[in-house]
Amino acid sequence: MRKLALPIIAAAFASALAITPAWSEEIVIGMAGPITGDLAEFGAQLVRGAEKAVEDINKAGGVLGKQLKLEKGDDQCDPKQAPIVANDLISKGVVFVAGHFCSGSSIPASSVYAEEGILQITPASTNPKFTDEAPSNLTFRTCGRDDQQGDFAGPWVAEKFKGKNVAIVHDKSPYGQGLADLTKAAMNKAGLTEVVYEAITAGEQDYTALVTKMKDSKIDAIYFGGYHPEAALIVKQAREQGLEAPLLSGDALNTLEFATLAGKASDGVMFTNAAEARNLPSAKAVVEEFRAGGYEPEGYTLSTYAAVQVWAAAVAEAGTTDSAKVAETLRGKEWDTVVGKLGFDAKGDLTSAAYVWYVFKDGNYAEAGSM
Amino acid sequence: MSSDVVTFTQQLINGLTLGSVYGLIAIGYTMVYGIIGMINFAHGDIYMIGAFHSLIAILVLGFFGITWVPLALVFVLVFAVGLTALYGWAVERIAYRPLRGSSRLAPLISAIGMSILLQNFVLLAQGARGKPLPHVTEDQFGKVPLFSGDGITAQITHEQIMIILVTIALMIGFTLAIKRTSLGRQQRACEQDMKMAALVGVNIDRTIALTFIMGAALACIAGLMVTLYYGFIDFYIGFVAGIKAFSAAVVGGIGSLPGAMLGGLLIGFIEVFFSGYVSVDYKDVAAFGVLVLVLIFRPTGLLGRPEIEKV
């Protein structure tokens, strides 16, 4: 026993040190997303955005005279991991979390944050339930909602493929299914009914049976709700079987990794997302600094930056990090951020979220214009 | 030709390809079970490691600019199969041999541990992101249109032809090897009675090690073909493929080589045809439902022999 005594005492001291961030002159904030796993590409975007925002805020003197400290949590987009990560961040003393990425993670994590009265701003989770069924009024997002996205995509598809055969496919995830169903509803309302409606299992590699089925139904366009690895496999296997129907999807294709995985098959693939923030005058300085550091701030990098930025601005204005007061302040006015002016409604959604189509070409993507 | 026939043929080709891959992996499960009566749960991950080694080999070739297909194929096979076989051997040596003779459950748990270890090793070493096959090879493969009707064409890609032919060749080769060669005779001897085989001079450790090496080599070839066919892999592909292939081995009758192949094709066909004609969402329910039915009516699988109580 005596041999063990010293390490135990040391461990006790170490743990005491770990749980006393209160006396430091720092405010701890959290960031959570899929840092590992097959969506790690997006986790990296969130990390970059949050790190840069914290760095810039600290350089400008911090918040309420204190420096910010960023704690990162990795949920791998696994709904079971999300509450564990949330609790871990809470034990590190965070007062605010920018995250998570997947709707399937953000929603379970939000009830953990709600219990502890921690403010959560997701830069990427678009499922309406995140704010509609929020356990507290402390949830916000700096991205649009799937019904806004679906209302944009659905009528467009209905008009563009009028009288043609459209397939709707999703991956059963809260994000993928939510987006596919809302787009389907908007498309049906605009007068076009899909010919094929199917759900796939994410993480598999063989979707040839689905492709043949769509080929048999003479599909002219595939709308896919889900993430880029499966989208890449489906579009590749479709081209291999000679099915040339364009693949349309949502904001999760917002990464060049899709083009790397799908290769030539990525040409002509379209997805909807908020207007490119990198071109905004408000983002110019930050984007240039990112590029100078050898990183292209694509995807959700800037919306994560904006999430931290808007929180810090609201804290400065409220004069406290108390979540309820900060939330009230956030709803009170429009905020200048890297992604332009953001205003939040009573639920915590953006007051306006405009979507545009993007199209992949030669391994890159760009706004499709009015088309 | 009506479009129904075209679609059916296309689904048949899809099922044959998927089933062949399952079958090749299933052989590894079935051979190990046949000889030492344990389920090697790490086998799916050996397949994943095989896929990674194949990709590494292809990347190395691309680096040196070797694009002559026969030479490239030989190099990839030697490099990837060799290394993966080494993994197969090491897994047996480290995780199973020390436990031989202990309770039946011990190596099983050890196998699950090995599976987690291999998965996380690749996760750490290669990262979590999917690794795409570089596009240098993309143009070397084409497709053969078979026949068309009603505006759609049934076609088979060169990768699919390769997967089916390689599987048939390996299947015949291994069946003959086990029937005709002295190693095969030793394997069959170990399967029947390990103690007796040892008494008549069969080197049991060597035979078992070679069985693991053969299983790993087959899994690696399956991994290579999947890398070429689907074009990208990640550290997690071994899990789903492993479970499907294990089910295939059980349906076919675990311990039986033709059974593994038959089971693989059966699972492949059920998945594809259920997806094609009923629902993609419920294909796994259908595949595992058939597994349950087979086990109820034929507990030893389709081609399995009933276990004789040894006295």
Side-chain angles (χ1 to χ4, degrees), chain A residues 120-264:
Chain A
Q120 182 186 9
I121 305 181
T122 174
S125 299
T126 48
N127 191 309
K129 281 184 192 156
F130 175 68
T131 47
D132 285 356
E133 295 168 17
S136 70
N137 58 359
L138 303 177
T139 54
F140 292 83
R141 55 179 137 210
T142 55
C143 54
R145 290 160 53 103
D146 287 338
D147 42 6
Q148 291 165 335
Q149 194 166 183
D151 280 345
F152 172 75
W156 186 89
V157 174
E159 148 114 64
K160 179 114 175 151
F161 296 94
K162 201 173 190 170
K164 296 206 172 146
N165 301 329
V166 172
I168 301 232
V169 181
H170 67 77
D171 67 353
K172 293 186 254 185
S173 72
Y175 163 72
Q177 183 165 13
L179 177 62
D181 285 348
L182 289 162
T183 304
K184 170 173 145 15
M187 189 182 88
N188 294 350
K189 221 170 96 189
L192 182 68
T193 312
E194 71 283 356
V195 183
V196 170
Y197 178 87
E198 286 291 356
I200 58 156
T201 308
E204 291 194 334
Q205 287 184 301
D206 193 287
Y207 300 114
T208 51
L210 169 72
V211 165
T212 303
K213 193 174 195 173
M214 293 195 289
K215 205 165 92 170
D216 183 45
S217 306
K218 306 209 168 44
I219 292 301
D220 298 302
I222 309 161
Y223 187 85
F224 177 67
Y227 297 100
H228 65 280
E230 286 76 29
L233 282 168
I234 290 175
V235 73
K236 256 175 107 158
Q237 289 169 20
R239 298 299 176 263
E240 257 165 30
Q241 288 198 15
L243 178 66
E244 297 297 334
L247 184 91
L248 314 168
S249 189
D251 55 311
L253 252 55
N254 185 12
T255 167
L256 288 180
E257 176 140 319
F258 172 76
T260 316
L261 295 179
K264 275 189 309 197

Side-chain angles (χ1 to χ4, degrees), chain B residues 34-35 187-196 305 310:
Chain B
I35 289 199
Q187 284 179 317
R188 278 177 290 138
C190 286
E191 182 188 350
Q192 281 171 10
D193 190 331
M194 211 180 278
K195 209 171 269 171
M196 192 59 213
R305 279 165 300 178
K310 290 169 194 159

Side-chain angles (χ1 to χ4, degrees), chain A residues 316-354:
Chain A
E317 181 140 331
T320 168
T321 57
D322 180 75
S323 294
K325 292 212 178 76
V326 176
E328 206 186 300
T329 317
L330 271 175
R331 290 190 173 90
K333 66 173 231 190
E334 289 213 317
W335 303 89
D336 280 314
T337 70
V338 278
V339 296
K341 272 201 184 309
L342 295 183
F344 299 96
D345 65 13
K347 280 193 275 187
D349 291 323
L350 290 181
T351 43
S352 72

